[in-house]
Amino acid sequence: MDLIELIKTRRSVRAYGKGSIPDDLVNRIIAAAMTAPSAGNQQPWQFIVVRDREKLSAISAFHPYCKMAAQAPLALVVCGDPVGKKWTDYWVQDCSAAVQNLLLAARAEGLGSVWTGVYPLEERVAGCRQLFSIPEHIIPFAIVPMGWPRDEADFKEVDRFKSELIHQDRFNA
């Protein structure tokens, strides 16, 4: 599959079939996330691999849009670590790029995943921090449940191109 097809068929997959995800595959996906661009190459991300069934089920107590984690073989918690970085305000963009790479890498490997936002909602940040023992200086950014998709139709290509959103040389109201 070429890159454009991969991008166009990446979907938010919330239903997973049976089967675990091997550690080497998880590490490949995280390695892809770590190749994302970051301000000044700061790489302000940290990753928590969550396989513990009780923890996966407990996520929905503080994150109402992450109920699918209870059925996923695993979830990756992406955190920002801006402390000591020269450009501390760019960790959000940097972690966003890392999550996008992670989603695309999962798709390339045949996995389904979904980006569920944590930051900047304080109740989600606090719940995530407590459940995963995240230190105060680390900021929980997103939870990405993933697994083998229950239905390959989840990857159907959809055309989302809208020419009216493109402007030339200036913003056309």
Side-chain angles (χ1 to χ4, degrees), residues 29-106:
I29 291 167
I30 293 172
M34 291 179 172
T35 65
S38 66
N41 198 28
Q42 297 180 115
Q43 303 173 24
W45 37 67
Q46 300 276 342
F47 300 88
I48 304 170
V49 179
V50 182
R51 295 179 189 270
D52 181 285
R53 299 276 13 121
E54 287 182 26
K55 287 191 184 307
L56 289 167
S57 294
I59 292 170
S60 64
F62 64 87
H63 197 313
Y65 302 105
C66 200
K67 290 179 176 35
M68 77 294 292
Q71 278 70 49
L74 69 83
L76 297 177
V77 180
V78 181
C79 301
D81 183 3
V83 175
K85 307 296 191 279
K86 183 175 179 181
W87 293 285
T88 57
D89 293 337
Y90 286 95
W91 73 269
V92 173
Q93 292 93 319
D94 298 343
C95 286
S96 294
V99 171
Q100 181 68 11
N101 275 14
L102 187 155
L103 296 170
L104 291 171

